[in-house]
């Protein structure tokens, strides 16, 4: 264990008070949520929001999620509707992000929306995130606290590995409970659409508001443009090549296993198991930390066993497919 970096702090009352001041001063504070760590800034401050994009080296066309202390605060910045009300009843606080039209009097920085006329809002289910929102006394824009294109952080140390001293403070809340990002739902049009599978399985959303439109096909085919700009960029990419649905790793590959038993004749070696009992929820919580741990020499690649598409398996497989696919930039150029 190396020494604790200076900007990682315990979530004491004093540090939370200081974190709130830092947000009001326009500085960056990384904080835990139930999904992944966020890189937070005052969502109403253009300069502070610009700092997020700079620190992450995030493309300016990729909008940010606004974290709110409660439903009333969220409904105050967007055009709220009945679907949002029912979803908030069922899932907030929790890992569901709702994309809704900006209100005419919306105080949120236009940079947060990255040129769109919508804002993504969520109420996180984490005591420290809610304490920070209370201390800051304003909504907090926060993407995952990693450099653009990297795997999302699920511990304070992961944040420091990605962003170093760029956050003025990293509130250490231990590992994130869910471990995979929130589900992003577009409610800005009559047909609700799933933009990103995440912590709430899409079936649970459909049980509340009915069938969801599929994105990536219908919407773009209708010439309306992508509904979630973030989905165009490569995400969640480890440095080593990743192979999916693998039964037996090749020499040099680290095995990322799921379930029991590991294939006959295969020793785990330096590999890891997402969930020996075959539980997709446990696997989601372990996914990013294990990808980070295996993404280094002497391994030459990471071989991932099949993971069922049920429950959080949908979000896990979405992230793994992105991690295994070719990198796609804004202009479509492949970088590997
Ligand atoms: O669990 C999470 O959602 C974490 C924690 C920190 O809350 N945050 C997170 O943020 O994953 P980020 O920036 O890494 O991902 C946000 C996603 C991106 O795919 C972005 O394109 C999409 O949400 N998004 C944000 N605002 C949007 C908008 N107005 N319209 C469409 N998509 C939007
Ligand atoms: Mg992210």
């Amino acid at each position: 264990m190396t020494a604790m970096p200076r900007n990682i702090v315990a979530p004491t009352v004093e540090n939370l008070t200081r974190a709130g001041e830092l947000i009001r001063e326009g500085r960056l504070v990384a904080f835990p949520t139930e999904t992944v760590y966020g890189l937070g800034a005052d969502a109403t401050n253009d300069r502070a929001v610009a700092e997020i994009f700079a620190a992450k080296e995030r493309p300016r066309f990729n909008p940010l999620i606004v974290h709110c202390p409660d439903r009333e605060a969220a409904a105050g910045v967007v055009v709220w509707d009945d679907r949002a009300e029912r979803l908030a009843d069922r899932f907030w606080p929790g890992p569901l992000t709702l994309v809704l039209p900006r209100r005419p009097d919306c105080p949120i920085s236009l940079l947060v929306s990255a040129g769109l006329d919508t804002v993504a809002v969520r109420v996180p289910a984490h005591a420290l995130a809610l304490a920070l929102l209370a201390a800051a006394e304003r909504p907090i824009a926060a993407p995952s606290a990693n450099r653009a294109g990297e795997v999302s952080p699920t511990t304070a140390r992961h944040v420091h590995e990605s962003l170093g001293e760029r956050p003025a403070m990293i509130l250490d809340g231990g590992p994130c409970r869910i471990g995979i990002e929130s589900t992003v739902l577009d409610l800005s049009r009559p047909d609700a659409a799933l933009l990103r599978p995440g912590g709430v399985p899409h079936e649970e959303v459909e049980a509340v508001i009915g069938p969801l439109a599929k994105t990536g096909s219908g919407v773009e085919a209708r010439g309306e443009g992508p509904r979630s700009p973030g989905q165009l960029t490569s995400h969640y990419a480890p440095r080593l090549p990743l192979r999916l649905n693998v039964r037996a790793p090749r020499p040099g590959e680290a095995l990322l296993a799921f379930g029991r038993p590991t294939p006959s004749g295969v020793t785990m070696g330096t590999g890891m198991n997402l969930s020996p009992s075959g539980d997709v929820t446990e696997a989601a919580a372990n996914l990013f930390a294990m990808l980070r741990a295996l993404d280094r020499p002497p391994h030459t690649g990471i071989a991932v066993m099949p993971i069922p598409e049920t429950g959080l398996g949908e979000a896990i497989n979405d992230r793994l497919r992105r991690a295994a696919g070719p990198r796609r930039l804004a202009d479509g150029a492949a970088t590997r």
Side-chain angles (χ1 to χ4, degrees):
M1 272 276 145
T2 49
M4 186 63 84
R6 264 189 317 130
N7 55 348
I8 297 184
V9 304
T12 60
V13 172
E14 293 74 31
N15 284 335
L16 279 162
T17 303
R18 178 69 191 131
E21 286 167 8
L22 287 168
I23 294 284
R24 286 197 297 279
E25 289 166 11
R27 311 278 301 281
L28 303 181
V29 174
F31 62 99
T33 78
E34 78 280 33
T35 58
V36 300
Y37 276 72
L39 180 64
D42 178 352
T44 66
N45 177 337
D46 290 328
R47 287 196 49 166
V49 173
E51 289 292 332
I52 293 179
F53 284 91
K56 280 188 61 106
E57 296 165 42
R58 181 176 176 110
R60 297 277 170 152
F61 58 76
N62 194 0
L64 307 176
I65 296 172
V66 175
H67 296 70
C68 298
D70 51 39
R71 184 194 317 197
E72 290 64 38
V77 300
V78 291
V79 182
W80 199 245
D81 70 15
D82 174 60
R83 297 171 300 177
E85 184 70 11
R86 279 182 285 145
L87 290 165
D89 266 344
R90 172 76 180 78
F91 298 110
W92 280 3
L96 179 67
T97 295
L98 304 178
V99 174
L100 288 155
R102 290 178 73 97
R103 285 169 71 112
D105 59 346
C106 180
I108 303 297
S109 165
L110 286 168
L111 283 176
V112 165
S113 298
L116 302 174
D117 51 12
T118 53
V119 176
V121 289
R122 94 173 181 99
V123 178
H126 195 293
L128 291 181
L130 294 172
L132 175 63
L133 283 160
E137 298 174 333
R138 59 206 62 198
I140 294 179
S144 52
N146 52 279
R147 276 201 303 272
E150 289 180 347
V151 172
S152 291
T154 55
T155 67
R157 275 185 185 273
H158 292 164
V159 176
H160 192 268
E161 276 167 28
S162 287
L163 296 171
E165 306 291 319
R166 273 172 272 208
M169 185 185 278
I170 302 173
L171 285 168
D172 189 350
C176 299
R177 180 170 57 83
I178 294 176
I180 204 147
E181 302 88 342
S182 63
T183 300
V184 181
L185 202 63
D186 185 0
L187 296 181
S188 69
R189 300 177 191 174
D191 55 329
L194 180 70
L195 299 183
R196 177 177 74 182
V200 176
H202 83 274
E203 295 89 344
E204 292 188 23
V205 172
E206 291 188 323
V208 177
I209 58 165
L212 298 173
K214 290 273 174 284
T215 52
S217 51
V219 174
E220 280 158 61
R222 290 207 303 275
E224 293 172 20
R227 290 172 74 155
S228 189
Q231 303 308 80
L232 291 179
T233 54
S234 170
H235 270 84
Y236 321 109
R239 281 169 292 231
L240 293 177
L242 205 73
R243 281 198 312 130
L244 306 185
N245 300 315
V246 171
R247 294 278 171 196
R250 294 173 183 154
E253 277 182 339
L255 179 67
L256 189 55
F258 176 86
R260 209 197 302 269
T262 45
S264 57
V266 174
T267 53
M268 284 297 296
T270 52
M272 294 179 152
N273 197 324
L274 289 165
S275 171
S277 66
D279 174 355
V280 283
T281 302
E282 180 184 26
N286 286 328
L287 179 67
F288 291 146
M290 289 187 175
L291 281 176
R292 278 179 187 256
L294 297 178
D295 189 23
R296 55 189 55 148
H299 307 134
T300 56
I302 302 171
V304 191
M305 283 174 64
I307 292 161
E309 194 68 20
T310 49
L312 294 191
E314 177 192 24
I316 295 173
N317 285 317
D318 170 77
R319 306 306 187 270
L320 286 172
R321 277 192 293 271
R322 287 170 198 284
R327 288 203 167 198
R328 205 145 66 95
L329 298 178
D331 61 2
T335 57
R336 69 171 188 188

